[in-house]
Amino acid sequence: MTLAFLISAHTDPVHLARLVKSLPEDAAFFIHVDLKTDLTPFLPLAEDPRVHLLRRRINVVWGSIRQVEYQMELIREALSTGPFHRLIAISGLDYPLWSNARIVEFFSHLGDRELLQGIRMTHQGTAAANYRRYRWLNAHPWKPGTMANQLRVALQWLIYGAGFRKPLSFRSQGVEYHLHKGASWWGISGELAAYVLHEWDTNKRLVNYFSTAFCPDETFIQTVAFNSRFASRCLLQEGRYTSLAALTPLTYIDYDPVIKVLTEEDWPVLQQSGKMFCRKTMTGTSDALLDRIDRERQFSTL
């Protein structure tokens, strides 16, 4: 079982080094550091032969197609280095709750199942409202509070107010795509990863749709997968959309109202979550929790 961890990072190289050290020794690590971040403190990580720091770095803009772009660069680098049985997307502020033996065993017994969860956003009513607004110019690194940024947002609302709605389904290259939403943290096969990357590289209409979409890092891979032959292997959430937490199969995240930095007081809920990873943990604030997790993982029978 060969595992590749695809890691997005923009801060806390100390925690990132601890994260890499905590995971299976025979795994590979592909790390994208946001272009806005000074790379120098992250360079010692590359002394580990298992670690691949991406040379092509993206200036990540939250909620924009730039987030999908770095996802695709991580997949591209892993596939060009592999092959790997599983590509597992995590962030540099995650930490494993399971022992490495349990992680490896879990992925070894998945068969052809994909750890990619999603829900179809068609007919989700107000829960889909964010996806009905065109997000033009979102990929530009606008500074909050500037006149240019205010004009951009005003233009988007003006177009929306004029009655223009972004469709939740569209056709491209003979395929009817229905928008699906999930989390950015998943574990997929090399086969599905190669298919998603091919669509990114060759399906221009598909990419153009997501270039004006809200948070496409949570919808692009899901939409491609759930409208393909891989759909039956993925985890389709039925019914009404309730929360992003319900669509995050591997990682415990306290999303409400913003992502909480976890501390030792969160240990009981982490134990009960059954999740493989937790997010978000940071050097200084989360040290006692991470020490507790390390002790528990060391003495775990799996």
Side-chain angles (χ1 to χ4, degrees):
M1 173 56 58
T2 54
L3 303 178
F5 290 92
L6 313 185
I7 305 176
S8 59
H10 71 280
T11 188
D12 206 342
V14 173
H15 181 275
L16 181 56
R18 182 171 184 170
L19 170 62
V20 169
K21 186 177 179 180
S22 73
L23 289 166
E25 291 184 358
D26 57 353
F29 302 90
F30 299 88
I31 302 174
H32 174 267
V33 179
D34 192 333
L35 185 60
K36 294 186 290 296
T37 301
D38 180 10
L39 188 62
T40 306
F42 295 86
L43 292 177
L45 284 162
E47 297 174 7
D48 185 335
R50 303 174 304 158
V51 172
H52 307 259
L53 289 178
L54 266 61
R55 294 183 180 179
R56 182 169 186 266
R57 299 163 61 203
I58 309 302
N59 185 356
V60 179
V61 179
W62 182 86
S64 80
I65 195 68
R66 295 287 173 253
Q67 290 185 285
V68 182
E69 192 173 354
Y70 85 68
Q71 289 177 329
M72 295 303 108
E73 289 305 311
L74 285 166
I75 289 175
R76 190 185 310 280
E77 187 75 10
L79 293 179
S80 67
T81 305
F84 296 100
H85 291 102
R86 290 284 161 176
L87 283 68
I88 305 157
I90 60 177
S91 86
L93 298 179
D94 289 4
Y95 207 71
L97 296 171
W98 293 7
S99 70
N100 286 336
R102 185 180 178 188
I103 291 172
V104 171
E105 182 182 25
F106 176 81
F107 284 112
S108 297
H109 288 86
L110 268 183
D112 65 356
R113 288 178 292 162
E114 304 288 350
L115 265 296
L116 183 73
Q117 197 163 357
I119 189 168
R120 182 167 163 170
M121 295 306 291
T122 311
H123 308 307
Q124 291 292 340
T126 56
N130 278 328
Y131 301 95
R132 300 304 308 275
R133 195 171 112 219
Y134 285 94
R135 308 283 175 146
W136 282 301
L137 306 175
N138 265 18
H140 186 85
W142 305 95
K143 292 183 179 179
T146 62
M147 180 65 72
N149 188 53
Q150 292 172 352
L151 287 173
R152 174 186 65 89
V153 175
L155 177 62
Q156 291 180 358
W157 279 112
L158 181 64
I159 293 169
Y160 186 81
F164 291 94
R165 299 291 186 270
K166 191 173 179 67
L168 299 180
S169 63
F170 60 97
R171 288 190 66 83
S172 180
Q173 296 186 356
V175 176
E176 182 75 19
Y177 288 94
H178 299 277
L179 186 70
H180 283 70
K181 175 183 174 65
S184 298
W185 320 126
W186 34 256
I188 62 176
S189 65
E191 186 184 9
L192 175 54
Y195 177 78
V196 169
L197 182 62
H198 177 265
E199 292 303 296
W200 170 261
D201 287 339
T202 64
N203 196 331
K204 291 184 179 180
R205 181 173 175 79
L206 175 71
V207 174
N208 285 341
Y209 174 88
F210 287 97
S211 68
T212 60
F214 173 70
C215 287
D217 61 309
E218 298 172 352
T219 55
F220 178 80
I221 293 176
Q222 286 81 3
T223 300
V224 171
F226 280 100
N227 292 279
S228 75
R229 60 186 175 86
F230 293 93
S232 62
R233 304 186 191 180
C234 300
L235 304 171
L236 179 65
Q237 183 82 11
E238 301 283 1
R240 306 298 294 178
Y241 173 80
T242 56
S243 69
L244 191 54
L247 300 172
T248 309
L250 294 176
T251 310
Y252 173 86
I253 306 175
D254 186 340
Y255 285 102
D256 190 26
V258 294
I259 296 178
K260 179 184 180 183
V261 178
L262 303 171
T263 64
E264 192 172 21
E265 70 179 16
D266 296 298
W267 171 245
V269 71
L270 294 178
Q271 267 190 311
Q272 296 167 13
S273 72
K275 296 297 179 73
M276 184 181 295
F277 291 96
C278 65
R279 182 176 189 268
K280 95 187 193 189
T281 50
M282 300 179 67
T283 302
T285 307
S286 308
D287 289 352
L289 172 62
L290 297 179
D291 291 342
R292 177 69 178 269
I293 292 172
D294 284 344
R295 289 193 300 270
E296 296 291 335
R297 295 178 75 233
Q298 181 182 358
F299 294 110
S300 173
T301 56
L302 266 183

